[in-house]
Amino acid sequence: MMEYSAVDSNPLSLYVMHPFWNTVVKIFPTWLAPNLITFCGFLLLVFNFFLMAYFDPDFYASAPEHVHVPNKVWVMVGLLNFIAYTLDGVDGKQARRTKSSTPLGELFDHGLDSWACMFFVVTVYSTFGRGPNGVSVFVLYLLLWVVLFSFILSHWEKYNTGILFLPWGYDISQVTISIVYIVTSIVGVEAWYEPFLFNFLYRDLFTAMIIGCALTVTLPMSLHNYYKAYSSKTLKHDSFYEAMLPFLSPVLLFILCIVWIFQSPSDILETHPRLFYFMVGTAFANISCRLIVCQMSSTRCQPLNWMLLPLALIILVVMSGLIPQYETLLLYLLTTIITLAHIHYGVGVVNQLSQHFNIRPFSLRKPNSD
């Protein structure tokens, strides 16, 4: 296992959040395992996702003349999102404080982050929804992929340079999202209907911020860091094909899902957007986790993820038009398979690393200390 190396140059993170996290981490007892902090933060995001699924199952709750999400729910979601973000920031500090930093912690942290991308993007969608003042479910699908590619870009950097450059967009987005939730609870979703500048709506600002951050900050910084490693001849992969290999499976996942969306006889994204996002986000998380394992172990990235096979087979069945009435059932079946397989993979890797390093994933006590 290679030594963990990360660089965080975000001013918000350096001058605001890190001092805050340094204070917060002192609250935790020294017997508390960092991975437990990580996992609790992730579960809060999952809870927010399903809480919104209850109050806004089809993303119409924020539209005019629909029953809106209660204000107290927005307060809860905002606070839980910020707490989850805080826990994600202090887990590494707790590991260094308790001298329990391990490759398992790195995998656990970034592996759950890869899945969390989907949860917080889909949850924040409910503030605008897909009514006349919101964005379409397809636009949200594209915005979700902007976030997913921004995430994997940083791990592509580490795969090639050996250093994880933490993306600036993450801290900015988490603080902004938490504030938006709280503001929504105060002013109501109706406030987002009005243009904030000329005819520029808040939904347009939401879209512009995601795309703008990716194109003006995340992508240029990644290319700059890659070029620096290339200039200093410290790249881990000389071949262009080997360097770009981590993008193969995500790109295929994106293309296959686009094909399904446009060839769907029942307009699957319009009828089941939340489930479709969940399926895509979970498959992406599995691809990302496998990349993280490869970069940690300095092994070659797998060209293709096996989850693309059942996805491709279902798309072929859907395109054949033989059983259009079962398309929804096929989506539920595929989502179940991908989710169970991803959890099985994660549990398996965590158990293997725990045995290898003779540690417990959620306890600082050694297995042989009983």
Side-chain angles (χ1 to χ4, degrees):
M1 291 284 179
M2 65 180 295
E3 184 178 349
Y4 181 59
S5 179
V7 175
D8 189 355
S9 58
N10 182 2
L12 173 63
S13 179
L14 291 176
Y15 300 115
V16 180
M17 298 315 302
H18 276 292
F20 172 66
W21 294 334
N22 288 333
T23 302
V24 172
V25 74
K26 297 174 183 176
I27 300 173
F28 297 116
T30 53
W31 52 260
L32 185 63
N35 289 339
L36 192 57
I37 297 175
T38 306
F39 192 57
C40 287
F42 172 74
L43 289 180
L44 292 180
L45 294 178
V46 176
F47 176 80
N48 275 354
F49 175 86
F50 285 104
L51 183 66
M52 277 300 165
Y54 176 78
F55 286 101
D56 185 22
D58 52 6
F59 301 109
Y60 279 117
S62 293
E65 301 180 359
H66 283 72
V67 178
H68 299 326
V69 175
N71 289 342
K72 60 184 179 182
V73 173
W74 287 119
V75 174
M76 180 185 298
V77 170
L79 291 176
L80 293 182
N81 187 85
F82 187 76
I83 292 171
Y85 168 54
T86 301
L87 294 178
D88 189 43
V90 302
D91 54 3
K93 296 182 182 298
Q94 176 74 350
R96 289 182 286 275
R97 179 174 174 238
T98 57
K99 297 180 174 56
S100 58
S101 299
T102 64
L104 173 61
E106 178 187 354
L107 173 65
F108 208 77
D109 188 5
H110 299 305
L112 290 180
D113 283 346
S114 68
W115 207 359
C117 288
M118 177 272 299
F119 288 115
F120 76 75
V121 169
V122 177
T123 301
V124 77
Y125 181 34
S126 289
T127 56
F128 303 95
R130 54 170 168 166
N133 301 293
V135 298
S136 70
V137 290
F138 182 69
V139 170
L140 195 278
Y141 171 79
L142 297 179
L143 294 177
L144 173 61
W145 268 106
V146 172
V147 174
L148 297 182
F149 270 114
S150 296
F151 175 87
I152 207 166
L153 201 59
S154 60
H155 290 280
W156 168 78
E157 286 181 65
K158 186 178 183 186
Y159 180 74
N160 283 285
T161 66
I163 302 173
L164 178 64
F165 296 91
L166 300 177
W168 283 25
Y170 175 69
D171 295 284
I172 297 170
S173 66
Q174 289 305 304
V175 173
T176 303
I177 288 172
S178 300
I179 293 174
V180 166
Y181 288 143
I182 300 299
V183 171
T184 301
S185 73
I186 299 171
V187 302
V189 294
E190 295 86 357
W192 308 124
Y193 299 167
E194 303 298 325
F196 78 97
L197 182 65
F198 303 114
N199 292 322
F200 201 63
L201 299 175
Y202 283 99
R203 68 175 184 193
D204 303 319
L205 177 64
F206 169 70
T207 303
M209 284 181 63
I210 294 178
I211 297 176
C213 185
L215 294 181
T216 63
V217 180
T218 306
L219 182 60
M221 289 185 69
S222 291
L223 295 178
H224 173 68
N225 293 330
Y226 181 86
Y227 179 75
K228 281 201 315 184
Y230 171 79
S231 300
S232 60
K233 301 187 185 308
T234 57
L235 283 176
K236 298 171 68 66
H237 306 281
D238 297 328
S239 163
F240 179 77
Y241 172 77
E242 291 294 333
M244 302 302 291
L245 205 54
F247 288 130
L248 183 57
S249 284
V251 168
L252 286 175
L253 175 63
F254 172 76
I255 293 174
L256 286 172
C257 290
I258 284 286
V259 171
W260 190 352
I261 291 169
F262 284 103
Q263 297 297 320
S264 170
S266 65
D267 208 352
I268 196 70
L269 185 61
E270 286 288 335
T271 53
H272 299 284
R274 191 177 291 275
L275 185 64
F276 198 89
Y277 298 147
F278 185 90
M279 180 273 293
V280 171
T282 306
F284 173 85
N286 189 261
I287 293 170
S288 298
C289 285
R290 292 175 186 274
L291 172 60
I292 293 169
V293 170
C294 289
Q295 71 188 25
M296 286 171 53
S297 57
S298 297
T299 56
R300 185 173 184 262
C301 177
Q302 298 174 333
L304 295 174
N305 186 289
W306 71 265
M307 289 186 181
L308 298 174
L309 179 58
L311 173 61
L313 291 175
I314 286 180
I315 292 174
L316 288 175
V317 171
V318 168
M319 291 177 62
S320 70
L322 296 176
I323 48 173
Q325 68 275 21
Y326 292 114
E327 185 177 12
T328 298
L329 179 62
L330 290 174
L331 176 59
Y332 273 97
L333 179 63
L334 177 64
T335 304
T336 301
I337 292 173
I338 288 177
T339 303
L340 292 177
H342 180 53
I343 293 173
H344 173 75
Y345 172 78
V347 171
V349 172
V350 168
N351 285 336
Q352 289 178 24
L353 287 175
S354 297
Q355 293 173 9
H356 178 77
F357 292 105
N358 192 34
I359 57 177
R360 289 176 173 173
F362 298 119
S363 174
L364 296 181
R365 295 176 61 188
K366 296 289 185 181
N368 56 6
S369 65
D370 294 335

